[in-house]
Amino acid sequence: MAERQGQAAADAVLTRIGQVVILHHAGDREEARRRLLELWAEIGEHGAPLYRCTLAHYLADTQDDPADELAWDLRALTAAEEIGESGPAAREGALAVRAFYPSLHLSLAADYAGLGERDAARTHLSRARKAAAGLADDRYGQGVRAAIRRLESRLGEDGDGTWRPPRQRP
């Protein structure tokens, strides 16, 4: 009984996060940021890593300042790395977050590129590429791989992470 209540509470938190993400995708960035920050305050800096990872990952997308976006993406990665460190329930969370890693590293690569830190961007792009190899060939996997290719092009890299000069336009 207690296990089912714990699962219901976990599902409720993830459902609330999902509802706010829908709000953000519908175009209400400010309200989404406000609600995600409320959830962050509720869960806290030491809350369950899966919640912190998910929240921080989506909070990053609502930021106006590139440095703030980077800070939230780094929080997401830190929380993701904590998942699986403590017991069977955490290991289940590790399976859930495994699909997040390509997106987490891709976000960090884009953050660093936007801040002009190309070496850090390339490092995270390489990690995103490696993590994406384990994704299914579904809509999510295809979308992440397409985003990786776009950032590779923007950074002047080929698919194996080797730098190449940008194409000259005629």
Side-chain angles (χ1 to χ4, degrees):
M1 176 75 165
E3 185 177 322
R4 276 191 277 157
Q5 287 176 334
Q7 183 64 39
D11 291 345
V13 171
L14 294 175
T15 297
R16 288 171 64 198
I17 293 169
Q19 290 169 338
V20 178
V21 170
I22 290 169
L23 179 69
H24 177 239
H25 289 168
D28 198 343
R29 184 179 178 146
E30 291 296 321
E31 182 64 15
R33 178 174 38 225
R34 186 186 68 73
R35 290 186 189 186
L36 289 171
L37 285 170
E38 286 175 359
L39 279 168
W40 183 265
E42 190 178 308
I43 290 167
E45 288 281 331
H46 303 292
L50 178 60
Y51 302 154
R52 287 186 291 119
C53 174
T54 306
L55 273 169
H57 187 55
Y58 289 118
L59 261 164
D61 294 339
T62 67
Q63 301 306 302
D64 297 323
D65 183 302
D68 291 339
E69 186 173 359
L70 174 62
W72 282 109
D73 279 329
L74 288 170
R75 283 184 185 104
L77 182 61
T78 298
E81 291 170 345
E82 291 175 23
I83 296 173
E85 291 179 358
S86 56
R91 282 190 288 279
E92 286 179 26
L95 294 174
V97 85
R98 186 177 304 155
F100 251 163
Y101 274 107
S103 182
L104 289 170
H105 285 294
L106 179 60
S107 292
L108 284 163
D111 294 344
Y112 282 120
L115 292 167
E117 298 183 35
R118 295 176 67 81
D119 289 341
R122 286 188 185 101
T123 296
H124 283 282
L125 184 58
S126 174
R127 291 175 184 166
R129 194 181 302 112
K130 287 175 188 167
L135 292 177
D137 190 26
D138 57 10
R139 186 175 172 191
Y140 175 73
Q142 292 167 3
V144 169
R145 284 187 278 277
I148 288 170
R149 287 189 299 273
R150 286 190 301 272
L151 189 54
E152 286 171 345
S153 177
R154 186 172 139 204
L155 291 175
E157 293 190 5
D158 61 20
D160 68 359
T162 305
W163 183 86
R164 61 178 164 69
R167 293 185 188 145
Q168 296 297 318
R169 295 178 187 222

